Amino acid sequence: MTLVRFLDRFDGDDRSIVVVNRTDPDPVLNMLIDTFGEGAVNVVDETVVPSGPPQRSRDPNAAPDRSDSHDGLTTREFTTDRIVGRNGEGVGPDTPGASEPGAAGPVIDIDTLREHEDVPFDGDDPDELENLALLVDGDEVIAGSTLGELGEAVLFVNSDLYITGSRTLDDIDLPSVISGLADTTFTLRGYPESNRQKLLLITISRFIERAAWMAGDGTLRSSFQRLSRLNDEVGTRQVYDRVSSAGVDTHLYGIPDDLPRDLGAVIHGGDTPDFTDSWFVVYRPPEGPQSIDADPGSDLKEGIENGVGLLAIETEPRVWRGLWTFDPDRVQSVNRYIERNL
């Protein structure tokens, strides 16, 4: 068993990002695709319904059309048709009356979105909702974020903020569209194939490190491929100084080319593929109840109380395949594998 085969045991979800009413389409769309990749996450663009009564393709007297497998808001409840990308391919299950390739995309009913508490956004005027991104799982909307929130997290930043320490643990939070991608299998590319996709892994890693730091207990296991990164990257070193000083049982893994000095962590060196080809950051909380000062229902509270982990494998040079998860069973199984085999 290796981490590659271990990752193969996890089935990832298939989710899509829908960007509503973009006024500057190509740059934003290209940035989203470059950030999230073109595999499990499919980025499409749509328009919002203008002022006036919403248009519906179904019988107006019929009951709301909800998917049998979901209790949340479905795409068929807020569009005139199923969501269709610019190539005419549908997102989600096939539905009657689907758009033909080349036809106009579906119209999104903002009033229906506004009434649904799981799709957060501000503003009463549809013209103000140009920057809304929705995360769709199958045929259900499961999260919403503004492009401003996504931009602050990953779109309009670069990795130097983390390497130099300009962005600290206190600054890290996940927009709901990003946290909603948990348990979605991804394939991301590093430089020079992509300037942005690896930043998503860095952002998730920092979020997990923040959860461990705020908990001040439990176990954090992190890989660096080369342990010299902890000496070369000031921001990364600062993070692990804070985490280990907070009382977290901290374990660091990688090729022992230049061991970090004066760091309160357990160092694990090796040169097998699990050391050389993996990127993992796994926080497992201690057993028993915890009292955490965090917003109820927040991703941070969930990560602190149940654990959160990222596992990615470099399947070829600068190409990463993996997922992150809040699932306590998955977090525990990854932690156990690392503890026993590395």
Side-chain angles (χ1 to χ4, degrees):
M1 175 72 76
T2 64
L3 280 173
V4 174
R5 294 179 61 187
F6 190 85
L7 180 63
D8 290 338
R9 295 166 51 186
F10 292 153
D11 294 326
D13 297 325
D14 185 10
R15 293 172 177 171
S16 302
I17 295 177
V18 179
V19 184
V20 180
N21 193 32
R22 296 174 298 102
T23 55
D24 191 14
D26 289 340
V28 173
L29 182 61
N30 293 338
M31 191 177 296
L32 282 166
I33 291 176
D34 192 28
T35 300
F36 292 101
E38 300 184 61
V41 179
N42 178 30
V43 183
V44 297
D45 59 292
E46 310 303 338
T47 56
V48 297
V49 67
S51 58
Q55 304 171 13
R56 298 284 184 176
S57 60
R58 62 174 183 259
D59 182 352
N61 297 319
D65 186 7
R66 292 183 180 269
S67 169
D68 293 338
S69 60
H70 298 290
D71 295 325
L73 181 69
T74 68
T75 58
R76 283 170 289 175
E77 290 180 82
F78 67 87
T79 64
T80 60
D81 205 339
R82 69 171 178 164
I83 293 178
V84 178
R86 289 185 294 185
N87 60 1
E89 295 180 356
V91 176
D94 290 338
T95 56
S99 299
E100 296 296 328
V107 176
I108 293 178
D109 177 3
I110 288 298
D111 288 335
T112 303
L113 287 176
R114 185 181 292 113
E115 294 169 359
H116 200 273
E117 61 183 12
D118 292 334
V119 185
F121 59 91
D122 299 321
D124 297 323
D125 184 351
D127 292 336
E128 298 177 359
L129 302 176
E130 299 164 347
N131 299 321
L132 181 65
L134 306 176
L135 185 63
V136 178
D137 183 356
D139 197 34
E140 181 183 6
V141 179
I142 60 173
S145 298
T146 65
L147 288 183
E149 292 172 322
L150 290 177
E152 186 177 345
V154 294
L155 296 184
F156 308 135
V157 299
N158 59 60
S159 58
D160 289 343
L161 291 177
Y162 297 99
I163 294 173
T164 62
S166 300
R167 174 163 288 191
T168 68
L169 288 175
D170 310 78
D171 302 323
I172 305 302
D173 202 1
L174 296 183
S176 57
V177 163
I178 294 181
S179 61
L181 290 169
D183 298 303
T184 298
T185 302
F186 58 79
T187 299
L188 300 177
R189 300 180 182 276
Y191 181 84
E193 284 79 6
S194 171
N195 290 323
R196 310 202 56 82
Q197 291 185 18
K198 195 174 177 180
L199 182 61
L200 195 59
L201 296 182
I202 298 174
T203 303
I204 297 296
S205 298
R206 283 292 186 268
F207 174 83
I208 298 171
E209 292 154 358
R210 183 187 183 194
W213 169 63
M214 289 193 64
D217 202 348
T219 302
L220 179 67
R221 302 184 187 277
S222 303
S223 67
F224 294 90
Q225 295 192 299
R226 295 187 177 275
L227 288 166
S228 57
R229 282 185 50 208
L230 285 155
N231 295 323
D232 297 338
E233 299 179 3
V234 174
T236 304
R237 173 62 188 245
Q238 290 174 345
V239 164
Y240 280 88
D241 277 331
R242 296 182 73 180
V243 170
S244 59
S245 297
V248 180
D249 182 19
T250 306
H251 295 254
L252 309 177
Y253 302 79
I255 297 173
D257 54 339
D258 185 9
L259 297 180
R261 297 169 292 277
D262 301 322
L263 183 60
V266 180
I267 305 298
H268 304 262
D271 58 6
T272 65
D274 279 349
F275 285 91
T276 62
D277 300 336
S278 66
W279 180 334
F280 57 78
V281 183
V282 181
Y283 172 66
R284 187 181 180 209
E287 301 292 340
Q290 303 176 75
S291 177
I292 301 299
D293 184 16
D295 293 336
S298 68
D299 296 318
L300 191 58
K301 186 176 182 66
E302 182 179 4
I304 292 172
E305 295 183 346
N306 297 324
V308 55
L310 163 71
L311 173 60
I313 304 298
E314 191 172 14
T315 56
E316 56 186 274
R318 297 176 296 278
V319 177
W320 298 87
R321 174 177 170 267
L323 56 73
W324 63 87
T325 183
F326 291 92
D327 184 280
D329 292 334
R330 288 185 169 183
V331 170
Q332 181 177 351
S333 62
V334 174
N335 176 79
R336 184 188 299 117
Y337 176 89
I338 297 170
E339 180 181 19
R340 293 178 178 178
N341 295 280
L342 279 68

